[in-house]
Amino acid sequence: MRMSVIGCGYLGAVHAAAMASIGHDVIGIDVDAEKIATLASGTAPFFEPQLSELLVDGLASGRLSFSSRMADAAGAHVHFLAVGTPQVPGGHAADLRYVDQAFDALLPHLRAGDVIAGKSTVPVGTAARLTTRLVGTGATLVWNPEFLREGWAVHDTLTPDRLVVGAEADAAGEQAVTVLREAYGAAVESGTPFLVTDLATAELVKGAANAFLATKISFINAMAEIAEAAGADVALLADALGHDTRIGRRYLGAGIGFGGGCLPKDIRAFAARAEELGRGEAVGFLREVDAINLRRRDRAVQIVVDALGGLVFGRRIAVLGAAFKPFSDDIRDSPALDVAVRLRGLGADVVVTDPAAIDNAAAAHPQLGYARDRDDALREADAVVIVTEWDEYRRDLSPERAGGLVRGRIIVDGRNCLDAAAWRAAGWQYHGMGRR
């Protein structure tokens, strides 16, 4: 099947390459000519495991191409709309200008029978509004939300845990759903649930999923605050809760909270849309979810300050991690960098290291010190802070090796990812988040 993917940012580039890898003829389109040139050369413009290999293979096979001309989308049977929806400047609502611009630019190139599949995360009601613009084109709009995890995006595209398609309950909508079922044929045949809903429900699924995930993460971080006050251990608490099949252990890891380009903005936009619909009270708890999340960054900084006896100025602090999560170079709203910047603001000599995000971090925060090599960052440090749980830090770094490099054996585990007993046994002053 011939497809176009409109918008070649994180979502679109991965989707285009993945669809080509399963046999579709895909063209990726973006207004950023530099990004298109990078992708067309077989180079991923961001770090994502397996993406570079898919790009090279897709380009070599002829099934994948990229263009900065919307006219090159003509002739595709399915057009995936994958442009970004950031927060509006100065507010919490989603900025839909890029969705509208891309949609309007695509309209002249549509044919009767074409399917536009929205993948962008949008406020409920967006699809209904866009559908009115298709009158006279013979094309049909469906909404097909994405559920990608950075660092696992290729895996999640090729082997999703569910596929959701929202469509109108008419003949055109039914035909469009059939087309999407064919597009995702490999996943459907392997048993992936294929859920058909109305447009509004499909739009709500992504926002609701992110709201639930953010709530679960912030819940355990709220429990970390209580555990610290009560002298309890939040890690053991999470283990006990996790054995309850109604709750589960996944995403009950207390730490410095979530970040990235999706979860924070999406829960804020979700709440903003609820306000517009006159139901803001239904998701009022999301404001506290957001507040709890941000407080954990404050707490991590305070733990470092306390561990150093309140004497932070001029002290060398090694910050292990810059990306908001491992297996990514994304620093958008990164709790890791936020902690580093705050420590620098207190006068500390901060040295940040990260396996993938150094260049992005240095461009955004040149006031920080950087080291590409982990051991160089550790050398002569008065304290160490783990803020991104890369394997290089949580699994491959031994307390003995680190102890031979640092000046002071103080470690703050911002992700509760280390074996506290092992580090303490090696003579380290270990501090976790919500742990005794």
Side-chain angles (χ1 to χ4, degrees), residues 17-71:
M19 290 295 100
S21 76
I22 59 176
H24 296 298
D25 183 9
V26 184
I27 182 166
I29 296 175
D30 197 285
V31 295
D32 187 335
E34 183 178 351
K35 182 189 300 178
I36 289 297
T38 299
L39 289 165
S41 72
T43 302
F46 49 84
F47 179 79
E48 178 62 36
Q50 302 179 59
L51 178 57
S52 293
E53 293 87 344
L54 288 191
L55 287 172
V56 171
D57 291 347
L59 293 165
S61 71
R63 292 191 301 271
L64 179 63
S65 60
F66 295 94
S67 173
S68 57
R69 298 176 63 250
M70 187 65 81

Side-chain angles (χ1 to χ4, degrees), residues 118-316:
K119 296 201 72 67
S120 303
T121 301
V122 297
V124 62
T126 301
R129 177 174 62 82
L130 294 176
T131 295
T132 63
R133 302 186 194 179
L134 292 177
V135 174
T137 66
T140 303
L141 177 68
V142 298
W143 216 261
N144 173 218
E146 57 86 12
F147 304 102
L148 305 186
R149 299 166 296 167
E150 290 196 34
W152 295 89
V154 171
H155 172 274
D156 291 346
T157 303
L158 295 175
T159 57
D161 54 17
R162 81 281 206 195
L163 290 161
V164 177
V165 178
E168 296 281 11
D170 55 21
E174 291 176 3
Q175 180 58 35
V177 169
T178 299
V179 171
L180 264 290
R181 193 185 299 272
E182 180 184 346
Y184 292 116
V188 173
E189 289 173 10
S190 70
T192 298
F194 189 90
L195 309 176
V196 180
T197 74
D198 54 85
L199 289 169
T201 300
E203 292 170 309
L204 278 174
V205 168
K206 177 60 185 295
N210 277 354
F212 188 88
L213 176 59
T215 301
K216 188 171 186 179
I217 296 170
S218 284
F219 171 82
I220 199 62
N221 279 328
M223 293 304 99
E225 295 182 7
I226 302 299
E228 288 176 354
D233 190 318
V234 75
L236 298 178
L237 173 64
D239 288 342
L241 292 173
H243 284 292
D244 188 327
T245 56
R246 298 168 301 174
I247 299 173
R249 183 63 174 83
R250 294 190 69 193
Y251 299 103
L252 280 183
I256 61 171
F258 56 81
C262 293
L263 205 54
K265 78 169 181 68
D266 287 351
I267 64 170
R268 294 164 191 159
F270 195 68
R273 181 57 176 152
E275 291 280 0
E276 294 170 355
L277 293 170
R279 292 294 183 270
E281 69 279 2
V283 291
F285 67 92
L286 289 180
R287 297 187 188 88
E288 185 57 27
V289 165
D290 198 11
I292 292 168
N293 185 57
L294 294 176
R295 279 205 303 272
R296 299 315 289 164
R297 306 177 188 192
D298 296 334
R299 181 58 185 150
V301 172
Q302 189 59 51
I303 290 173
V304 176
V305 172
D306 291 345
L308 288 169
L311 303 175
V312 179
F313 189 86
R315 308 295 288 276
R316 181 178 170 89

